[in-house]
Amino acid sequence: MAATRTDLANAIRALAMDAVQKANSGHPGAPMGMAEIGLALWGNNMRFNPQNPAWANRDRFVQSNGHGSMLQYALLHLTGYDVSMDDIKNFRQFHSKTPGHPEVHYTPGVETTTGPLGQGITNAVGFALAEKLLAAQFNKPGLDIVDHHTYVFLGDGCLMEGISHEACSLAGTWGLNKLIAFWDDNGISIDGHVEGWFTDDTPKRFESYGWHVIAGVDGHDVDALNAAIAAAKAQTSKPTLICCKTIIGKGSPNKAASHDCHGAPLGEAEIAATREAIGWPHAPFEIPADVYAGWDKKAAGAAAEAEWNSLFAKYAAQYPAEAAEFTRRMKGELPANWQDLVKTAVAEVNAKAETIATRKASQNAIQAFAPNLPEMLGGSADLTGSNLTNWKGSSSLKVENGQISGNHISYGVREFGMSHIMNGLVLHGGFRPFGGTFLMFCEYALNALRMAALMKTNNIFVYTHDSIGLGEDGPTHQPVEQLQTLRCIPNMNVWRPADTVESVVAWADAIEQRTTPSSLIFSRQNLTFQTRTEEQIANIKRGAYVLRDAAQPQVVLIATGSEVDVAVKAAEALAADGVAARVVSMPSTNVFDKQDAAYKASVLPAGVPRLAVEAATTDFWRKYVGLEGDVVGIDTFGESAPAPLLFKHFGFTAENVAARAKALVK
């Protein structure tokens, strides 16, 4: 006899409470309360193939309330993904496939890493935007090779986080009709009943964003949920929020509808009582065969993918160039002529020898690469004219009559939302997004940058106005500690180029990355072009190199960005005084740190005193100069004044650097 809907939903409840209990850690309440929502979506409406989690046209699923991860793990296990019962038993254990919060690349079927609330729904906006743009770029009449939905589970916490406003507002503006979110309206957060701190009229809030809102759905009524999903899919111009009234921890006789089941195991006695209350007589981690059969989606998933493969074969026969391009982009591969493009761009920039702001040099690099990389999707958080993230031939993203077009996004003043939407775009596949703001305002987005590095995405964050060099706007806009903060994020490459050549090399390196995001840091003010040999140009990509040398150097000057020219001039002054100085340009400390010991020693020889020069806080540089070295930097906040006056005031002059270097030599 086939398993009932009640049995199918209760399998989720049982796995959630058993796994959390065994781990003695976790959140059973959300999975138990959302079991029927999971059944309606994964059991009846979502299109996926458990045997190929990377199928290009699968529906995307994001559990934004990632603390309830056992809901997703239970769904993956039951529907047939490579998530075994042993994996369920190892919930939250060392190197398991089932970590405390869902992590992309760890668990088959997990599309993005969630946990920090509000960020999953924001990633999902990126997924849905990618689908809509790819469909516009590749679909042909009768051959819709890009046609899938993005589904999101989210809770009160996601809605309280400000990033949800940033992202959901844009989703409405962009008309992302294939984005469908399920709000788990259970009225509980860790501190208890939310009416003391969350009284928003959520349906009206989302209606004001331009969403289609389906309010008042019983989150435990599968038929009602199926009807809501059908209505959401029928919507052709708006994203949909399905408001699901649920009971957190449903089935638990004594802890349901309270925060007692939110973030702690139910306890053995309560689990036994729950088993009896829901009619689940099975032992821990035991799932009956009929329940497995009721959940199994391997055959249906394989059939859905086979149907799409047939469609794609027809597409490829009629449009072979487009099919090849779609395949390349979804694989994240660069075009075959990529290295030739880089060589040409570097040679042209070197020949021009321009003294310009590196933000302009950045735009020139984008101009060199973007026309040859249609996957590049630029943007800025309301600062396009300052960040210079647009290029000749770029067009602003716009939606007209339900049709979307463009390759440059005006995100508005939404640095955090922009950065996490970019993460979603990368994770979906088909795009290499980059987005800009002032370096100071990376502070709004740091958690998104950290998540990009953790998830091994390869998107590109563009930051301009990189120091006191922006001048009169004053200390509120002058970054001092931000460079060091970014450099301390594991798996983040940070580049601060000194001129046009270093800028184009930094861009090329960022584009070539497959599993590492990059932060590219550029100046507002003009920076002097530095002459180099071919060998020096080749070594830029190693993160640091000898820009100016002297026979038997007595001191090494290390500098980045705008301070490189100061170091060069200081070396010239030192030479005039009989002191031999080597100048090392270090545009990327992170990349330099990955080089072999022999190369690092050739750049920074042992036994020679070192002086670092950078318009930023100084402690970071101790790892390079040692206790016996020195740093010319800024350990206070800036001031409001013209940039030249500020650089002189804070000691970024050739005279001061030379004097500090002489002191080291003595």
Side-chain angles (χ1 to χ4, degrees), residues 257-272:
S258 79
H259 67 282
D260 292 337
C261 65
H262 186 293
L266 296 182
E268 296 290 357
E270 187 65 15
I271 287 176

Side-chain angles (χ1 to χ4, degrees), residues 61-64 66 72 99 101-107 109-116 118-127 163 416-429 432-433 445-461 489-493 513-518:
F61 172 78
V62 176
Q63 183 161 342
S64 190
Q72 187 167 10
H101 294 84
E103 293 188 40
V104 67
H105 311 309
Y106 268 71
T107 313
V110 170
E111 303 280 4
T112 181
T113 300
T114 55
Q119 299 191 25
I121 178 61
T122 309
N123 291 161
V125 172
F127 283 126
I163 190 174
F416 196 7
M418 171 183 74
S419 303
H420 251 312
I421 289 171
M422 288 166 56
N423 286 339
L425 286 162
V426 168
L427 290 167
H428 178 280
R432 290 299 308 278
L446 279 177
N447 207 290
L449 272 65
R450 182 180 186 274
M451 295 301 290
L454 177 64
M455 295 189 291
K456 300 179 181 178
T457 67
N458 59 354
N459 47 11
I460 301 169
F461 303 102
I489 299 174
N491 192 42
M492 172 70 74
N493 284 349
Q513 295 302 315
R514 297 296 297 267
T515 59
T516 300
S518 300

Side-chain angles (χ1 to χ4, degrees), residues 269-501:
E270 187 65 15
I271 287 176
T274 302
R275 275 185 153 75
E276 182 175 354
I278 66 176
W280 187 263
H282 313 290
F285 302 106
E286 179 184 324
I287 303 294
D290 62 334
V291 173
Y292 272 129
W295 270 109
D296 189 6
K297 297 298 177 184
K298 293 191 289 293
E305 183 176 356
E307 182 181 357
W308 181 83
N309 287 338
S310 177
L311 178 72
F312 189 75
K314 293 178 183 178
Y315 181 91
Q318 296 184 45
Y319 305 99
E322 289 87 345
E325 180 70 0
F326 178 79
T327 301
R328 178 189 74 80
R329 285 175 57 174
M330 291 305 291
K331 288 182 177 179
E333 296 174 347
L334 291 170
N337 66 339
W338 168 249
Q339 290 302 328
D340 292 335
L341 292 173
V342 175
K343 289 178 183 177
T344 299
V346 172
E348 289 180 352
V349 167
N350 191 50
K352 287 182 178 178
E354 292 179 298
T355 290
I356 56 177
T358 51
R359 61 171 173 162
K360 180 60 180 175
S362 167
Q363 186 179 47
N364 292 345
I366 296 169
Q367 186 65 58
F369 297 135
N372 301 288
L373 296 172
E375 61 265 42
M376 290 187 75
L377 183 60
S380 175
D382 204 48
L383 289 167
T384 301
S386 294
N387 301 148
L388 304 182
T389 49
N390 56 349
W391 65 97
K392 294 176 183 176
S394 67
S395 58
S396 296
L397 187 80
K398 60 182 178 181
V399 180
E400 293 180 345
N401 300 319
Q403 301 300 310
I404 195 167
S405 63
N407 56 6
H408 188 275
I409 304 172
S410 292
Y411 287 95
V413 187
R414 299 179 178 94
E415 296 86 358
F416 196 7
M418 171 183 74
S419 303
H420 251 312
I421 289 171
M422 288 166 56
N423 286 339
L425 286 162
V426 168
L427 290 167
H428 178 280
F431 290 101
R432 290 299 308 278
F434 58 94
T437 185
F438 289 174
L439 177 56
M440 185 67 244
F441 302 142
C442 76
E443 293 287 349
Y444 286 118
L446 279 177
N447 207 290
L449 272 65
R450 182 180 186 274
M451 295 301 290
L454 177 64
M455 295 189 291
K456 300 179 181 178
T457 67
N458 59 354
N459 47 11
I460 301 169
F461 303 102
V462 178
Y463 297 117
T464 67
H465 296 60
D466 67 340
S467 71
I468 56 173
L470 73 86
E472 291 86 349
D473 277 344
T476 60
H477 285 53
Q478 293 168 2
V480 177
E481 73 276 25
Q482 283 66 37
L483 274 168
Q484 322 310 11
T485 298
L486 294 177
R487 287 168 176 155
C488 287
I489 299 174
N491 192 42
M492 172 70 74
N493 284 349
V494 181
W495 288 86
R496 187 177 184 236
D499 67 355
T500 55
V501 174

Side-chain angles (χ1 to χ4, degrees), residues 52-325:
N52 183 13
W55 168 33
N57 201 45
R58 68 193 180 277
D59 288 337
R60 269 60 169 181
F61 172 78
V62 176
Q63 183 161 342
S64 190
N65 51 346
H67 54 274
S69 56
M70 264 311 304
L71 173 59
Q72 187 167 10
Y73 299 150
L75 290 165
L76 292 168
H77 170 72
L78 292 167
T79 55
Y81 283 84
D82 184 18
V83 178
S84 69
M85 186 60 82
D86 283 340
D87 294 324
I88 298 295
K89 292 178 181 178
N90 285 325
F91 177 55
R92 290 190 163 220
Q93 303 310 300
F94 189 53
H95 284 169
S96 76
K97 282 186 184 178
T98 51
H101 294 84
E103 293 188 40
V104 67
H105 311 309
Y106 268 71
T107 313
V110 170
E111 303 280 4
T112 181
T113 300
T114 55
L117 295 177
Q119 299 191 25
I121 178 61
T122 309
N123 291 161
V125 172
F127 283 126
L129 177 60
E131 192 275 342
K132 196 173 185 74
L133 282 168
L134 283 172
Q137 293 174 13
F138 285 100
N139 287 352
K140 302 295 182 181
L143 295 169
D144 290 346
I145 61 169
V146 182
D147 181 15
H148 53 265
H149 287 80
T150 300
Y151 297 102
V152 191
F153 288 173
L154 71 161
D156 292 331
C158 295
L159 296 175
M160 285 187 249
E161 287 286 0
I163 190 174
S164 70
H165 163 69
E166 297 183 27
C168 293
S169 171
L170 281 171
T173 298
W174 293 334
L176 301 181
N177 59 293
K178 290 186 178 176
L179 174 62
I180 301 174
F182 298 78
W183 170 32
D184 178 28
D185 180 14
N186 61 40
I188 297 292
S189 66
I190 289 177
D191 278 357
H193 292 270
V194 300
E195 56 262 27
W197 48 88
F198 184 53
T199 58
D200 302 14
D201 189 330
T202 297
K204 286 185 178 178
R205 170 185 163 188
F206 275 75
E207 286 172 358
S208 76
Y209 293 152
W211 283 54
H212 172 216
V213 176
I214 303 175
V217 177
D218 182 347
H220 304 298
D221 183 336
V222 176
D223 287 331
L225 290 161
N226 285 334
I229 294 169
K233 285 185 173 182
Q235 173 57 244
T236 60
S237 62
K238 298 179 179 181
T240 296
L241 177 70
I242 302 175
C243 305
C244 306
K245 195 64 183 175
T246 64
I247 299 171
I248 190 171
K250 182 174 172 59
S252 171
N254 301 301
K255 295 188 176 182
S258 79
H259 67 282
D260 292 337
C261 65
H262 186 293
L266 296 182
E268 296 290 357
E270 187 65 15
I271 287 176
T274 302
R275 275 185 153 75
E276 182 175 354
I278 66 176
W280 187 263
H282 313 290
F285 302 106
E286 179 184 324
I287 303 294
D290 62 334
V291 173
Y292 272 129
W295 270 109
D296 189 6
K297 297 298 177 184
K298 293 191 289 293
E305 183 176 356
E307 182 181 357
W308 181 83
N309 287 338
S310 177
L311 178 72
F312 189 75
K314 293 178 183 178
Y315 181 91
Q318 296 184 45
Y319 305 99
E322 289 87 345
E325 180 70 0

